[in-house]
Amino acid sequence: METAARTAPAAVIVAIDGPAGTGKSSTSKAVAAKLGLGYLDTGAQYRAITWWMVANGIDVEDAVAVADAAGKPAIVSGTDPVNPTITVDGTDVSGPIRTQEVTSRVSAVSAVPEVRAVITELQRTIAAEAPRGIVVEGRDIGTTVLPDADLKIFLTASPEVRAARRSGELKGKEAADLAATQAALAKRDALDSGRKTSPLAKADDAVEVDTSELTLDQVIECVVTLVEEKRTVA
Ligand code: DC
């Protein structure tokens, strides 16, 4: 007779990378919830450390000052896909990290190697401790953070589709200006892809999924099928 331990699926690590507006967060959360896995939004961690720098009066363009402070804030991520949480030194920052102020500064902070070292370490610990496995979304997960992930997905979409999706997430005046949203996304992509330390990049062994013509449900279904195929082979 087989034991429960032998029949339970092994922990599975899924890396989902790609630029903003490709449906990364919605897809990652839904896939994790469907498969009973944990979920980690690594962009939220970079946003949280950026929020802390701004709140503590650190000039984010001063890479030395940012590097010196990188180890100070205690960032804690809750990995339930139905209710992901993020705190800094015990304060819930899930709202403040989505402001325009943080969004416009996060690329500068996340380009600092000392910041990436601290956050990468945190991400690896969280992934290693996820009992049933985890879906980790970001920019460098498949290439740098978890190069041995069981499955790597790289999501893309056309610039027009991405801007339209991002505008839909913003409220009021910000949402109305599609051209400005597209320009801001292009600027952030250029900074995130052009930085020296672990830039936004597709891993050689990642499956690329262009989501431009797909509904969210179709993308979720596609990723769930890919995870299940991996589990069957393993
Ligand atoms: O996914 P997001 O838009 O919330 O990410 C915010 C920023 O964080 C993004 O512009 C670049 C940075 N980031 C990163 O450098 N590496 C990651 N793994 C995730 C995000």
Side-chain angles (χ1 to χ4, degrees):
M1 201 178 88
E2 285 190 80
T3 64
R6 281 175 64 199
T7 52
V12 63
I13 306 278
V14 182
I16 303 191
D17 290 300
T22 52
K24 230 176 345 138
S25 294
S26 309
T27 302
S28 302
K29 266 186 270 193
V31 168
K34 273 194 172 202
L35 297 174
L37 307 177
Y39 161 73
L40 178 62
D41 175 358
T42 64
Q45 296 176 310
Y46 285 103
R47 288 172 178 273
I49 198 165
T50 302
W51 172 85
W52 184 91
M53 297 280 167
V54 173
N56 284 275
I58 292 164
D59 175 4
V60 301
E61 300 301 330
D62 180 347
V64 174
V66 170
D68 282 348
K72 290 185 182 167
I75 297 168
V76 177
S77 301
T79 56
D80 177 355
V82 179
N83 180 31
T85 55
I86 183 136
T87 62
V88 180
D89 298 334
T91 301
D92 174 9
V93 292
S94 48
I97 62 169
R98 304 287 163 195
T99 60
Q100 193 50 41
E101 188 180 26
V102 169
T103 302
S104 65
R105 288 170 169 81
V106 64
S107 291
V109 173
S110 61
V112 175
E114 288 79 358
V115 168
R116 301 206 73 81
V118 167
I119 301 289
T120 297
E121 179 70 31
L122 202 56
Q123 292 160 354
R124 287 180 177 150
T125 303
I126 293 168
E129 287 173 354
R132 297 194 55 195
I134 193 162
V135 178
V136 184
E137 62 142 307
R139 303 289 195 286
D140 63 337
I141 309 307
T143 53
T144 306
V145 179
L146 301 167
D148 296 328
D150 298 290
L151 177 67
K152 300 177 186 178
I153 307 282
F154 194 80
L155 295 183
T156 61
S158 70
E160 295 76 19
V161 166
R162 292 171 50 212
R165 285 180 186 159
R166 184 40 60 98
S167 267
E169 292 166 8
L170 301 169
K171 293 182 186 73
K173 208 168 121 251
E174 284 177 335
D177 199 342
L178 203 61
T181 304
Q182 196 170 328
L185 278 182
K187 186 178 168 200
R188 197 143 63 91
D189 282 356
L191 290 170
D192 295 341
S193 308
R195 67 169 174 247
K196 276 209 187 95
T197 311
S198 49
L200 163 65
K202 176 183 167 297
D204 289 340
D205 52 349
V207 180
E208 183 165 338
V209 180
D210 183 343
T211 69
S212 306
E213 306 285 329
L214 301 177
T215 64
L216 177 59
D217 282 346
Q218 287 171 323
V219 182
I220 294 164
E221 205 43 55
C222 169
V223 178
V224 166
T225 304
L226 288 167
V227 177
E228 280 170 346
E229 279 171 10
K230 280 278 168 192
R231 275 180 159 169
T232 311
V233 172

